[in-house]
């Protein structure tokens, strides 16, 4: 834990903490704000209270488990780092990330890295994809960690905020974090989530403090914060551009696939919704997750 002077204090937990509405495997998570009491003659604190979380992202402890694991809390924004160079991030990956962020009501941004590798053709593709996301309302940055292009814009974006970083392996997430740390003289050492040792070795998130007052929560990948207790009819609500047209659907449980009088399909045909996003929507709703749920 960090105290009011930004000193790192090791803390223990006293008693039981419950999270309203869900059963969790970890009482305390990365990003929690707590009240703790420093023990006399010891450099150890005892956590007495967890302040109400503004938001939190969770995953199920196991696929069919009723227990959830809180990955991080009190996030101001979520950023997915992607690249159209190598290894190329699919829009399917991006859309799953955005849907998850929407589900948690966390503002999302996209950072396109490795633009130093873009050739003319890739720039064309990039411009199309970027404007598609900007039109929906997601801010986009284009950067190169290698040539240090627009790193200052990333710094600006992170100042005073707690930001979740996601991205699949190889996009340059670590390189970016190292660049940010070196540039702004980040404090040495991480504030790591030591509770995740042992039973839950697959989940690992770390929090880094930035000297501009921001915090980065680094997660290993989108799979770690999957959708929980999501109904199939709710998925379209997580696509802001579909949400706009849903009220025009004839049926209020419309899945926007084959139903007559569907406002979303009408908007798709009119070019108001991009085919790429719609296809990724179809992909998400055909997930095993929903198919298994239907038979429960
Ligand atoms: P992570 O798995 O997302 O953490 O990716 P890394 O930070 O380990 O980077 C993966 C590879 O991409 C490394 O070889 C980096 O040197 C390289 N890389 C990262 N950023 C850039 C960039 O902006 N341009 C280029 N050309 N390579 C980059
Ligand atoms: Zn519909």
């Amino acid at each position: 834990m960090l105290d009011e002077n930004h000193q790192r204090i090791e803390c223990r937990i006293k008693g039981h903490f419950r999270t309203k509405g869900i059963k969790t495997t970890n009482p305390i998570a990365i990003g929690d704000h707590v009240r703790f009491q420093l023990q006399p003659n010891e450099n150890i604190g005892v956590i007495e209270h967890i302040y109400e979380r503004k938001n939190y992202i969770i995953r199920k402890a196991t696929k069919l488990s009723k227990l959830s694991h809180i990955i991080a809390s009190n996030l101001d924004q979520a950023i997915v780092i992607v690249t159209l160079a190598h290894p190329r991030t699919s829009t399917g990956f991006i859309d799953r990330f955005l849907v998850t962020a929407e589900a948690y009501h966390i503002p999302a941004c996209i950072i396109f890295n490795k633009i130093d590798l873009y050739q003319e053709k890739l720039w064309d593709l990039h411009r199309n994809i970027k404007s598609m996301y900007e039109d929906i309302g997601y801010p986009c940055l284009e950067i190169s960690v290698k040539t240090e292009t627009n790193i200052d814009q990333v710094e600006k974006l992170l100042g005073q905020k707690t930001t979740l970083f996601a991205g699949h392996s190889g996009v340059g997430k670590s390189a970016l974090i190292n660049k940010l740390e070196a540039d702004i003289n980040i404090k040495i050492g991480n504030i790591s989530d030591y509770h995740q040792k042992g039973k839950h070795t697959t989940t690992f998130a770390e929090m880094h403090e930035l000297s501009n007052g921001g915090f980065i929560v680094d997660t290993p990948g989108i799979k770690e914060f999957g959708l929980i207790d999501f109904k199939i009819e709710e998925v379209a609500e997580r696509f802001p551009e579909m949400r706009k047209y849903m009220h025009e659907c004839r049926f209020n449980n419309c899945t926007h696939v084959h139903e007559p009088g569907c406002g979303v399909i009408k908007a798709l045909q009119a070019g108001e919704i991009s085919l790429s996003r719609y296809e990724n929507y179809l992909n998400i709703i055909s997930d095993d997750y929903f198919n298994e749920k239907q038979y429960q």
Side-chain angles (χ1 to χ4, degrees):
M1 293 295 157
L2 292 179
D3 71 6
E4 60 274 26
N5 301 317
H6 280 241
Q7 296 299 311
R8 252 185 99 170
I9 312 281
E10 203 178 313
C11 283
R12 279 198 307 259
I13 299 169
K14 192 179 90 183
H16 293 284
F17 292 105
R18 284 182 214 290
T19 303
K20 242 194 281 166
I22 53 164
K23 288 195 170 127
T24 61
T25 54
N26 55 331
I28 187 153
I30 275 188
D32 279 349
H33 300 159
V34 305
R35 187 180 67 227
F36 65 82
Q37 195 76 47
L38 211 53
Q39 295 308 97
N41 308 321
E42 274 181 276
N43 216 2
I44 256 192
V46 171
I47 294 173
E48 297 173 331
H49 181 69
I50 301 172
Y51 292 104
E52 197 176 340
R53 297 173 176 121
K54 176 170 93 171
N55 57 36
Y56 51 83
I57 56 171
I58 52 182
R59 70 169 177 84
K60 289 212 165 158
T62 59
K63 209 173 175 194
L64 293 175
S65 171
K66 289 210 159 45
L67 290 175
S68 301
H69 184 83
I70 304 183
I71 297 163
S73 70
N74 298 317
L75 297 165
D76 296 309
Q77 58 186 352
I79 292 181
V80 62
I81 299 152
V82 309
T83 184
L84 301 183
H86 189 75
R88 181 174 301 178
T89 310
S90 67
T91 60
F93 184 91
I94 297 174
D95 288 338
R96 274 166 199 266
F97 172 85
L98 296 175
V99 163
T100 309
E102 290 287 338
Y104 290 112
H105 303 284
I106 299 169
C109 314
I110 306 168
I111 291 182
F112 293 86
N113 186 32
K114 306 198 188 186
I115 56 168
D116 59 290
L117 297 175
Y118 283 13
Q119 306 295 334
E120 207 177 309
K121 257 175 119 174
L122 266 191
W123 272 114
D124 284 344
L125 177 69
H126 171 78
R127 276 188 282 269
N128 284 337
I129 292 182
K130 182 167 168 273
S131 68
M132 172 175 83
Y133 287 114
E134 283 177 339
D135 286 350
I136 304 164
Y138 295 112
C140 295
L141 282 183
E142 41 201 34
I143 70 161
S144 165
V145 175
K146 192 174 173 190
T147 60
E148 305 191 356
T149 310
N150 294 338
I151 302 298
D152 53 334
Q153 291 192 27
V154 181
E155 281 172 17
K156 227 158 91 192
L157 192 65
L158 303 181
Q160 306 296 329
K161 290 191 167 151
T162 299
T163 305
L164 180 90
F165 264 31
H168 66 56
S169 168
V171 295
K173 185 156 58 88
S174 315
L176 175 60
I177 293 172
N178 288 339
K179 181 69 72 189
L180 290 165
E181 288 186 7
D183 279 4
I184 55 179
N185 292 322
I186 192 172
K187 291 197 183 80
I188 300 159
N190 305 323
I191 310 153
S192 299
D193 189 357
Y194 58 91
H195 294 289
Q196 297 184 5
K197 280 185 196 152
K199 240 166 77 182
H200 301 287
T201 44
T202 51
T203 305
F204 177 66
E206 277 186 318
M207 183 178 246
H208 306 278
E209 188 185 11
L210 307 173
S211 64
N212 66 4
F215 291 90
I216 295 174
V217 176
D218 184 13
T219 62
I222 188 84
K223 285 198 185 72
E224 301 298 333
F225 54 110
L227 305 172
I228 293 198
D229 289 339
F230 225 59
K231 291 198 193 77
I232 203 160
E233 303 84 48
E234 288 168 356
V235 179
E237 287 170 25
R238 313 302 176 197
F239 283 75
E241 75 276 44
M242 291 195 190
R243 199 157 59 211
K244 268 198 331 211
Y245 296 100
M246 285 169 54
H247 65 276
E248 293 172 22
C249 297
R250 186 179 306 163
F251 304 109
N252 62 9
N253 62 350
C254 188
T255 60
H256 325 295
V257 181
H258 48 70
E259 294 88 345
C262 171
V264 169
I265 291 176
K266 214 159 61 185
L268 176 73
Q269 286 163 347
E272 304 290 335
I273 289 172
S274 84
L275 185 59
S276 158
R277 290 272 292 169
Y278 182 72
E279 282 175 348
N280 291 336
Y281 163 75
L282 292 181
N283 233 311
I284 291 172
I285 62 167
S286 65
D287 262 4
D288 289 347
Y289 172 75
F290 292 110
N291 294 328
E292 279 166 19
K293 264 192 96 156
Q294 278 174 9
Y295 299 109
Q296 271 173 19

